[in-house]
């Protein structure tokens, strides 16, 4: 086997069907496992010295989980109306999490820890995916409400020649210079900056219409030129077909490279699968911190490098005790090392910190690691067995000088924004943090695969993942049931998923209508009674659409712990050898 084929020689048995199972199937195959698509029994992974079983608990109707866990409410905040995403978001993340569990248990057995079974439920994965928003809604100090800011003037923008595009700015100067150059009024530029800056936090944004009018007066090439001269970033909104025509489309979401031969890795025979594994990170935003949060839930010890004085995001409201709730939910339990790695002494501290580590993860700007002298070669010189991990926006897909690789920009470029568009609606990214979260899942998955490869090859190495690669996984064609939608009852919204139209119509006491009339007939019948009554009648095929994320804690108490805010716990349950 090679470092880039960590599961070469392993056999995987994958029963069942559906997007979660198919996602796990595809990813294990890309890791070079031989996959047997069995139709019954449990997931099984076996290979040299390893035998692991996995179980996905319960059915996984995508839209029922989206409705119950607040995803529809977050996606629809800018319209003040909950809406399904339109892609199998939770299912794909659950498939990735299943692969993570199998890889973690495999590594545990290779290290002498007899973990032989992993169980996983979609609800636990979904709660992790929206964990920042739940934390904000349950914070000790000024928790965020569930209300959105309805706006018809939210991004993306449209140029004079009809190109829809997203923008990203990392400073007020870039924002002001860009819009002023396009002729937008000064007052509109000033009013738009703060809502634009907070759109990631709120999953909602209101922008002055004058900004759209300024964009509509300029060609897209002119907008590109203005962005380049002012420090703004722009990205056209592309279709799924555009993405599938790219040369790198369909490539594995991780890139592996073997390093030097390394001393044998010590093992452990107790605890969670990653007990005894030490991860060092230097990351920001969501993608990197979430990746190491997932590794910590699997048992790893994580040391987070922050600048002297701490990460400024620690002070972003709402607060959970003395720390931002949204920061805490990603970084709770991590050790902190305050290091100025821009200085020679700081760089030496970083190298000393990774000397005995198993993993180093960063999501610095492209080339920053080489500039600092903290690239993989420098770290492998002091620790040949290190897994050096990079979590980027674009990987190498867009060359040496790509636009900002942030969530909404990647949604626009990758075709995810197109996939989210309902029939007849324009393509636009969701303002719920979505690709950043998927990127964190994919980064953790790649690190786990690299740790397995390290143990099997006796070499350290590198693994690179990107938000673009994570976005690609979300482009799987959804597989809706005969009835799969959101409908209005007398006092609220219901998500209903079922293949048995006749049984549903019987409960609703209506005749089975022609297919094209079915949605209207269901809506008319449901409007006669309140949600609570329909819940008793429809049972497991229906879930009320949750608007208030704070109520998730009382409805899923076993899924949370509290530290100034509600923090989602591990979605995995591991069992030892019988």
């Amino acid at each position: 086997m090679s470092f880039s084929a960590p599961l070469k020689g392993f056999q995987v048995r994958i029963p069942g069907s559906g997007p979660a199972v198919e996602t796990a199937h595809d990813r294990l195959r890309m890791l070079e496992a031989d996959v047997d698509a069995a139709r019954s029994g449990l997931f099984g992974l076996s290979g040299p010295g390893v035998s692991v079983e996995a179980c996905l608990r319960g059915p996984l109707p995508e839209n029922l989980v989206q409705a119950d866990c607040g995803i529809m409410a977050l996606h629809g905040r800018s319209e003040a109306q909950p809406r399904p995403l339109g892609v199998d978001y939770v299912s794909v993340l659950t498939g990735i999490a299943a692969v993570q569990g199998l890889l973690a248990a495999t590594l545990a057995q290779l290290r002498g820890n007899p973990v032989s079974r992993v169980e996983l439920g979609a609800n636990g994965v979904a709660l992790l995916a929206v964990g920042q928003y739940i934390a904000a809604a349950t914070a000790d100090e000024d928790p965020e409400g569930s209300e959105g800011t309805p706006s018809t003037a939210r991004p993306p923008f449209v140029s004079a020649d009809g190109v829809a595009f997203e923008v990203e700015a990392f400073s007020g100067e870039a924002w002001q210079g860009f819009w002023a150059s396009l002729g937008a009024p000064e007052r509109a530029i000033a009013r738009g900056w703060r809502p634009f800056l907070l759109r990631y936090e709120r999953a909602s944004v209101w922008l002055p219409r004058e900004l759209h009018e300024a964009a509509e007066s300029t060609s897209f090439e002119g907008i590109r030129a203005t962005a380049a001269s002012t420090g703004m970033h722009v990205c056209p909104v592309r279709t799924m077909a555009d993405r599938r025509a790219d040369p790198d489309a369909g490539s594995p979401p991780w890139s592996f490279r073997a390093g030097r031969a390394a001393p044998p890795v010590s093992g452990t025979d107790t605890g969670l699968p990653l007990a005894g594994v030490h991860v060092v990170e230097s990351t920001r935003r969501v993608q990197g911190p979430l990746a190491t949060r997932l590794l910590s839930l699997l048992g790893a010890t994580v040391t987070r490098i922050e600048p002297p004085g701490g990460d400024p995001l620690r002070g972003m409201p709402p607060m959970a005790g003395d720390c931002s709730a949204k920061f805490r939910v990603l970084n709770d339990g991590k050790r902190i090392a305050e290091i100025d790695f821009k200085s020679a002494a700081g760089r030496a501290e970083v190298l000393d910190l990774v000397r005995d580590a198993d993993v180093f993860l960063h999501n610095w700007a492209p080339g920053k690691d080489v500039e600092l002298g903290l690239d993989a070669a420098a770290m492998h010189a002091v620790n040949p067995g290190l897994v050096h991990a990079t979590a980027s926006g674009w990987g190498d897909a867009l060359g040496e000088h790509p636009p900002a690789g942030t969530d909404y920009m990647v949604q626009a470029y990758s075709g995810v924004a197109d996939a989210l568009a309902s029939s007849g609606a324009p393509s636009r990214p969701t303002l719920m943090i979505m690709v950043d979260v998927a990127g964190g899942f994919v980064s953790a998955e790649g690190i786990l695969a690299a740790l397995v490869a390290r143990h099997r090859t006796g070499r350290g190495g590198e693994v690179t993942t990107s938000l673009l690669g994570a976005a690609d996984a979300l482009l799987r064609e959804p597989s809706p049931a005969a009835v799969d939608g959101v409908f209005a009852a007398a006092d609220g919204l219901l998500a209903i998923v079922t293949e048995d139209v006749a049984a549903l119509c019987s409960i609703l006491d209506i005749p089975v209508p022609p297919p094209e009339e079915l949605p209207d007939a269901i809506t008319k019948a449901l409007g006669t009674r309140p949600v609570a009554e329909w819940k008793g009648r429809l049972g497991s095929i229906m879930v009320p659409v949750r608007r208030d994320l704070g109520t998730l804690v009382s409805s899923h108490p076993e899924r949370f712990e509290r530290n100034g805010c509600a923090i989602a716990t591990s979605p995995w349950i591991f069992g030892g050898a019988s």
Side-chain angles (χ1 to χ4, degrees):
M1 64 155 291
S2 67
F3 194 88
S4 59
L7 294 184
K8 188 76 171 178
F10 277 68
Q11 292 77 45
V12 182
R13 187 168 182 266
I14 299 187
S17 60
V21 170
E22 292 161 6
T23 296
H25 176 286
D26 291 346
R27 303 177 89 78
L28 291 166
R29 178 182 48 77
M30 286 188 286
L31 293 170
E32 299 292 334
D34 293 326
V35 179
D36 172 22
R39 293 299 175 189
S40 61
L42 296 173
F43 277 91
L45 175 65
S46 59
V50 172
S51 179
V52 183
E53 288 184 344
C55 176
L56 294 181
R57 296 194 306 275
L60 182 60
E62 174 73 29
N63 277 340
L64 296 190
V65 182
Q66 286 192 24
D68 183 51
C69 294
I71 290 172
M72 288 187 183
L74 287 166
H75 178 48
R77 268 192 183 176
S78 277
E79 291 78 31
Q81 181 70 12
R83 293 190 296 119
L85 279 171
V87 296
D88 290 326
Y89 182 55
V90 178
S91 301
V92 169
L93 292 185
T94 301
I96 294 172
V99 173
Q100 293 169 341
L102 287 170
L103 289 169
T106 295
L107 181 66
Q109 289 193 26
L110 291 172
R111 298 172 64 233
N113 184 349
V115 174
S116 60
R117 180 180 170 84
V118 55
E119 297 182 22
L120 180 70
N123 275 1
V125 174
L127 296 175
L128 270 178
V130 295
Q132 282 192 291
Y133 299 107
I134 297 170
T138 59
D140 286 340
E141 180 182 319
D142 297 326
E144 287 182 3
S146 58
E147 69 282 352
T149 307
S151 173
T152 58
R154 54 162 286 190
F157 301 91
V158 180
S159 66
D161 45 348
V163 178
F165 64 95
E166 272 288 334
V167 300
E168 187 63 89
F170 295 133
S171 70
E173 292 76 15
W175 172 266
Q176 198 280 333
F178 175 78
W179 290 113
S181 296
L182 294 184
E186 189 67 34
R187 184 167 176 269
I189 298 171
R191 282 192 296 127
W193 171 237
R194 181 171 172 77
F196 178 82
L197 195 65
L198 292 177
R199 69 200 191 286
Y200 287 99
E201 311 302 323
R202 308 288 189 187
S204 177
V205 65
W206 178 91
L207 293 178
R209 178 62 203 167
E210 293 94 329
L211 301 183
H212 285 264
E213 292 168 354
E216 290 162 1
S217 67
T218 309
S219 70
F220 187 61
E221 284 309 308
I223 286 166
R224 278 190 191 273
T226 301
S229 66
T230 58
M232 195 76 153
H233 298 262
V234 300
C235 181
V237 178
R238 306 199 312 158
T239 66
M240 288 185 285
D242 292 334
R243 175 57 185 152
R244 287 168 180 155
D246 289 341
D248 64 313
S251 300
W254 336 270
S255 174
F256 300 104
R257 186 163 64 179
R260 299 157 51 186
V265 179
S266 61
T268 181
D269 59 2
T270 59
L272 288 168
L274 297 193
V277 172
H278 182 203
V279 179
V280 178
E281 68 165 308
S282 176
T283 66
R284 58 196 181 110
R285 294 182 177 268
V286 175
Q287 176 192 20
L290 177 57
T292 55
R293 170 67 177 162
L294 293 170
L295 296 176
S296 71
L297 291 175
L298 290 165
T301 298
V302 179
T303 299
R304 175 176 172 80
I305 298 174
E306 296 186 10
D311 192 315
L313 292 180
R314 288 180 173 276
M316 177 172 286
M319 300 298 286
D322 60 355
C323 182
S324 163
K326 292 183 177 180
F327 186 90
R328 186 182 292 283
V329 80
L330 293 172
N331 298 292
D332 205 38
K334 297 177 183 178
R335 301 173 178 175
I336 305 301
E338 294 188 9
I339 299 175
D340 178 11
F341 52 68
K342 296 179 181 179
S343 69
R347 291 191 290 274
E349 282 187 74
V350 173
L351 291 175
D352 191 55
L353 192 60
V354 302
R355 193 178 305 277
D356 298 316
D358 297 282
V359 178
F360 176 78
L361 171 66
H362 75 84
N363 62 352
W364 300 332
K368 190 70 175 178
D369 56 344
V370 175
E371 178 186 326
L372 291 170
L374 295 173
D375 57 343
M379 292 192 175
H380 283 145
V382 300
N383 182 354
L386 185 74
V387 169
H388 182 279
T390 302
S392 70
W394 305 106
D396 57 5
L398 272 64
E400 294 183 3
H401 303 289
T406 53
D407 193 300
Y408 308 145
M409 297 281 277
V410 175
Q411 284 191 53
Y413 181 87
S414 67
V416 166
D418 184 36
L420 300 180
S422 54
S423 179
S427 300
R428 61 187 184 190
T430 177
L431 290 172
M432 179 186 80
I433 296 173
M434 177 183 182
V435 172
D436 265 341
V437 169
F441 272 71
V442 171
S443 177
E445 180 186 39
I447 289 169
L448 287 163
L451 286 169
V452 170
R454 178 184 71 159
H455 198 98
R456 298 190 69 201
T457 64
R459 292 180 175 274
E462 301 173 55
V463 57
T464 300
T465 60
S466 69
L467 294 183
L468 181 60
D472 287 342
L474 303 176
L475 297 181
R476 179 180 298 279
E477 288 292 336
S479 49
V483 177
D484 190 348
V486 175
F487 306 90
D491 60 348
L493 297 177
L494 306 174
I496 298 177
V497 180
T498 182
E499 292 287 3
D500 196 338
V501 175
L504 173 62
C505 290
S506 176
I507 295 170
L508 298 178
D509 198 22
I510 60 174
V512 178
E516 66 275 11
E517 298 176 13
L518 183 59
D520 287 343
I522 294 172
T523 299
K524 184 176 180 180
L526 289 172
T528 62
R529 300 175 188 274
V531 168
E533 188 168 338
W534 286 123
K535 188 173 182 180
R537 288 172 174 245
L538 293 169
S540 63
I541 68 169
M542 182 278 285
V543 167
V545 177
R546 191 184 303 275
R547 291 176 181 266
D548 183 356
L549 271 67
T551 63
L552 279 164
V553 181
S554 58
S555 59
H556 299 281
E558 76 286 356
R559 289 292 179 191
F560 293 95
E561 57 189 16
R562 186 162 188 92
N563 187 4
C565 61
I567 299 175
T569 55
S570 174
W572 300 281
I573 298 174
F574 291 96
S578 59

